[in-house]
Amino acid sequence: MRPFKFTRAVQPAEAISSVSANSGARFVAGGTNLVDLMKEGVENPTELVDISRLALTQIRSTSSGLSVGSMARNTVTANHPLVRRDYPLLTKAILAGGCIGTDPQHGDKRRESAAANTMLVFLRYLDAVQQTLTRFRLRGNGRRKPYARNFWLVG
Amino acid sequence: MTKDSEVADPNVDPELQMTADEEKLLDELGIFGESRRKFLGQVAAAGLTAVAFQVLAEQKALAFSEFDALQPAGLLENSLKVGFKVNGAAKSVEIDSRMTLLDTLREKLGLTGSKKGCDHGQCGACTVMVDGQRVLSCLTLAAQCEGRDVTTIEGLAKGGELHPMQASFVKHDGFQCGFCTPGQICSAVAMMQEAKSGELSYVSENIRPLAKPLALSDDEIRERMSGNLCRCGAYPNIVAAIREVHTGRATDHMGMNDMEGSNAAV
């Protein structure tokens, strides 16, 4: 891993100004994706700005839908009463989220991911929709056998 | 092959005696008689010394954490001072910003219970708890743990008493080589808490009802523990160990005394 300067942001504005002042700077939240990529040399930031403590974790319903703070952790979002009640498929999508050989349930990669990773969540959402449809088609009654995509890893 | 009975020493096993051409070779090399024995002795001694040096080097390597902890600050690039709680005790360490929580625990604090398996968040051997949540310490920067409360496998036993999960792993043989075990146990302990607070998993049957605590089926346990790999394949026993702690009832690895396997949630 290349050396980098580490700073912790207290206010969103401060985080934005630090990152915009340095083209080699990156935000780090949970860090579980970025640190992994940095170990492999895929990402080589010269500065990391820790935004994991910014108070952007609120989840609330709005007139047009749901607002999820960009620092809301995936498991928190998936288990939020509002999300579970009104957006169960989003819950399902996040819980299905272990993409690259990792597992969503494990206290880790995706658990710590922030919702800012919107695109990934969206893809998982589509994936879950597809899986659900497939399941309905295959089994007719929507009742399913417990199933996890990563079981091939653990046998 | 020349017969060399004329130089045979009656006290030595004939099998081990040298042939004349071997003697000649040693003569040419200037190694014979007393000096040869001395030479062989020296070779043996040198070999032992090499082994001794290796052992010393290994001991030194193992003692590295203590040496390193005493190193003066300022030798590191982008050094940071990080303070956090580890197993209840406040710790302050001077680290390079690149150091992961795992490396800090193992190399700065001498807590080698947490293991480095893949170092890429895929095996779960490095799992520890930060503020009660399980995290992969190999992908967590130590710098981000400022002020956090870290619990490692070393912090689970209290006053010489094993944590119930540790005792259950021992009882059910939830391991063979044991390398993944610290991560498995930390993960399992945190996972119990997640079930208690009603957190869902991918195989949870019902998403909408906010039930807590959750009663976990074996499939639930397997799914929730699927981030922790065990190459020995001790999974049935690991599940049994966790099931016993979870249900509070004695069970075996077939799940015989339990809630009839995976359909418990119906």
Side-chain angles (χ1 to χ4, degrees):
Chain A
M1 203 189 292
R2 303 275 173 81
F4 58 84
K5 190 179 145 207
F6 183 90
T7 51
R8 187 175 298 115
V10 182
Q11 293 296 327
E14 177 195 347
I16 292 166
S17 63
S18 327
V19 166
S20 46
N22 176 0
S23 61
R26 294 288 308 267
F27 294 122
V28 60
T32 45
N33 278 340
L34 186 61
V35 174
D36 198 9
L37 294 174
M38 284 162 66
K39 283 185 177 183
E40 286 294 309
V42 179
E43 292 280 352
N44 295 303
T46 56
E47 180 181 356
L48 282 189
V49 180
D50 182 9
I51 54 167
S52 61
R53 294 172 199 225
L54 299 184
L56 298 172
T57 57
Q58 77 293 347
I59 297 170
R60 59 193 166 83
S61 64
T62 64
S63 55
S64 57
L66 183 73
S67 161
V68 179
S70 56
M71 282 311 304
R73 292 189 309 118
N74 271 345
T75 34
V76 173
T77 310
N79 285 293
H80 195 277
L82 200 61
V83 180
R84 279 172 71 166
R85 194 192 69 204
D86 298 338
Y87 304 92
L89 201 54
L90 179 59
T91 296
K92 200 77 199 168
I94 294 172
L95 295 175
C99 358
I100 320 157
T102 60
D103 198 273
Q105 274 307 320
H106 188 261
D108 75 356
K109 286 211 167 205
R110 317 301 156 190
R111 281 184 69 84
E112 289 292 319
S113 299
N117 242 334
T118 325
M119 197 58 202
L120 264 183
V121 173
F122 180 66
L123 289 176
R124 276 180 235 142
Y125 192 82
L126 290 180
D127 193 26
V129 170
Q130 194 188 18
Q131 280 183 22
T132 312
L133 291 177
T134 312
R135 216 175 285 124
F136 267 92
R137 208 160 50 232
L138 290 179
R139 301 183 63 87
N141 58 2
R143 178 150 164 63
R144 57 189 171 71
K145 266 170 72 179
Y147 160 75
R149 281 186 296 167
N150 292 322
F151 274 11
W152 63 270
L153 255 183
V154 293
Chain B
M1 183 79 57
T2 328
K3 195 89 179 103
D4 56 341
S5 51
E6 69 275 10
V7 292
D9 183 338
N11 298 325
V12 179
D13 182 350
E15 286 286 304
L16 297 175
Q17 284 185 6
M18 281 180 293
T19 57
D21 44 356
E22 283 169 340
E23 289 277 6
K24 197 171 158 236
L25 184 65
L26 289 175
D27 278 351
E28 278 166 11
L29 290 168
I31 305 165
F32 47 82
E34 277 303 306
S35 63
R36 186 176 74 237
R37 263 171 236 126
K38 203 170 152 196
F39 171 75
L40 290 174
Q42 281 167 346
V43 169
L48 279 174
T49 315
V51 170
F53 265 117
Q54 204 170 344
V55 170
L56 282 174
E58 275 166 17
Q59 282 178 346
K60 222 172 181 178
L62 289 173
F64 165 71
S65 53
E66 285 161 37
F67 281 122
D68 202 39
L70 295 174
Q71 264 183 13
L75 292 180
L76 302 163
E77 200 169 351
N78 294 312
S79 80
L80 287 168
K81 209 174 170 83
V82 182
F84 52 87
K85 252 179 158 182
V86 180
N87 300 328
K91 301 279 179 190
S92 179
V93 284
E94 187 86 26
I95 53 157
D96 184 294
S97 60
R98 288 172 292 181
M99 258 187 129
T100 59
L101 177 59
L102 177 64
D103 288 337
T104 309
L105 290 171
R106 290 181 58 86
E107 294 177 23
K108 293 282 180 186
L109 301 171
L111 296 170
T112 51
S114 311
K115 297 290 184 273
K116 186 180 274 196
C118 66
D119 209 22
H120 282 283
Q122 300 184 359
C123 74
C126 66
T127 308
V128 301
M129 287 176 274
V130 175
D131 291 342
Q133 297 271 332
R134 43 185 173 163
V135 300
L136 295 170
S137 59
C138 75
L139 290 182
T140 305
L141 291 173
Q144 291 194 280
C145 295
E146 173 72 41
R148 306 277 192 217
D149 191 351
V150 180
T151 306
T152 68
I153 187 74
E154 288 93 343
L156 290 181
K158 292 277 179 275
E161 281 280 306
L162 288 181
H163 184 281
M165 193 62 79
Q166 289 174 308
S168 191
F169 266 68
V170 172
K171 180 183 166 194
H172 288 279
D173 258 347
F175 47 82
Q176 280 181 42
C177 80
F179 190 83
C180 71
T181 313
Q184 298 275 5
I185 292 178
C186 284
S187 199
V189 169
M191 189 266 273
M192 293 287 99
Q193 200 51 48
E194 290 163 18
K196 232 176 235 173
S197 59
E199 277 190 34
L200 299 168
S201 85
Y202 184 63
V203 297
S204 299
E205 293 283 333
N206 297 308
I207 288 177
R208 284 205 171 98
L210 302 174
K212 63 172 127 171
L214 288 179
L216 302 182
S217 65
D218 281 5
D219 281 313
E220 279 271 19
I221 294 175
R222 274 193 281 271
E223 162 66 11
R224 287 165 191 261
M225 291 297 294
S226 60
N228 290 79
L229 305 186
C230 168
R231 291 199 70 186
C232 300
Y235 297 115
N237 298 359
I238 292 171
V239 172
I242 296 172
R243 185 201 304 126
E244 181 162 314
V245 177
H246 178 60
T247 59
R249 278 175 284 144
T251 90
D252 63 23
H253 73 281
M254 302 294 284
M256 294 311 281
N257 304 323
D258 192 35
M259 350 179 239
E260 289 175 14
S262 58
N263 292 324
V266 174

